[in-house]
Amino acid sequence: MIDYAILSATQAQQQVDELTGVLQACVADGASVGFVDADDDEAMTRFWQQRIGSLSDGDSELFVARQHGRIVATVILSCSAMPNGRHRAEISKLLVHPQARRQGIARELMQRAEQRARVQGKTLLVLDTRSGDVASDLYRSLGWQVAGSIPFYAESTAGVLDATTYMYTVLA
């Protein structure tokens, strides 16, 4: 059974080791999520500490999926802080532990984040993903559109400079 939740900053702080573990496992599996070294515990923990700060400020929400009581997946919904962008939010760090994949967890997390954005009055969501990544297929199946791509955008775990694709969805 898979349980879904939105974590408060306090809850995220208490589970920072589990959050870091999911991130490490995804990077070790080759995910392009901002990190190139799965063994860099310090950088990954620092990343989550910074995100916890944005949870405290109310700028972001952290959705998680738990299986057998442990966090196996995440997604972050971040609202635009600029006055001209109050209608939009960004999706980031859709991470599913390699051992928990192919169970519909990523789809469910995305649908929950989109629904939450609607409740908040958001009408536009954006994200970026490595061009050609399997995640692109998920996003397209959820109705996301490609806005464009940028070559040589991010270094992969293999040391290659990969393109990134920017995507969006207009919320009804």
Side-chain angles (χ1 to χ4, degrees):
M1 181 164 159
I2 300 166
D3 297 308
Y4 297 90
I6 299 174
L7 297 188
S8 69
T10 301
Q11 292 167 322
Q13 184 63 53
Q14 293 167 347
Q15 297 172 339
V16 73
D17 290 342
E18 286 185 43
L19 294 167
T20 300
V22 171
L23 179 56
Q24 285 177 306
C26 291
V27 172
D29 196 50
S32 179
V33 290
F35 298 91
V36 295
D37 181 5
D39 295 325
D40 193 350
D41 294 346
E42 186 177 318
M44 292 187 197
T45 300
R46 187 171 49 252
F47 164 80
W48 283 116
Q49 295 295 349
Q50 291 168 344
R51 289 301 159 278
I52 290 167
S54 69
L55 298 177
S56 295
D57 295 341
D59 296 332
S60 297
E61 290 185 287
L62 173 60
F63 298 74
V64 298
R66 288 189 186 92
Q67 195 169 42
H68 308 295
R70 299 215 27 102
I71 295 173
V72 296
T74 68
V75 72
I76 300 172
L77 176 67
S78 301
C79 297
S80 175
M82 301 307 295
N84 72 345
R86 291 187 188 123
H87 66 287
R88 71 177 184 259
E90 180 179 1
I91 296 286
S92 63
K93 295 302 179 270
L94 178 61
L95 306 169
V96 179
H97 194 288
Q99 295 176 348
R101 292 186 181 150
R102 309 300 303 163
Q103 299 178 59
I105 296 171
R107 177 175 297 280
E108 182 67 24
L109 282 173
M110 285 295 293
Q111 290 171 332
R112 287 172 182 256
E114 289 179 18
Q115 181 56 34
R116 181 70 178 153
R118 281 185 193 91
V119 167
Q120 294 174 351
K122 306 302 179 202
T123 57
L124 178 68
L125 293 178
V126 298
L127 61 78
D128 72 280
T129 187
R130 177 174 42 201
S131 297
D133 201 86
V134 66
S136 297
D137 294 335
L138 168 67
Y139 302 136
R140 282 189 190 95
S141 77
L142 290 168
W144 287 69
Q145 303 294 313
V146 172
S149 65
I150 301 173
F152 314 113
Y153 187 80
E155 183 180 353
S156 73
T157 57
V160 175
L161 293 179
D162 289 328
T164 195
T165 298
Y166 282 88
M167 300 182 83
Y168 69 94
T169 190
V170 176
L171 300 175

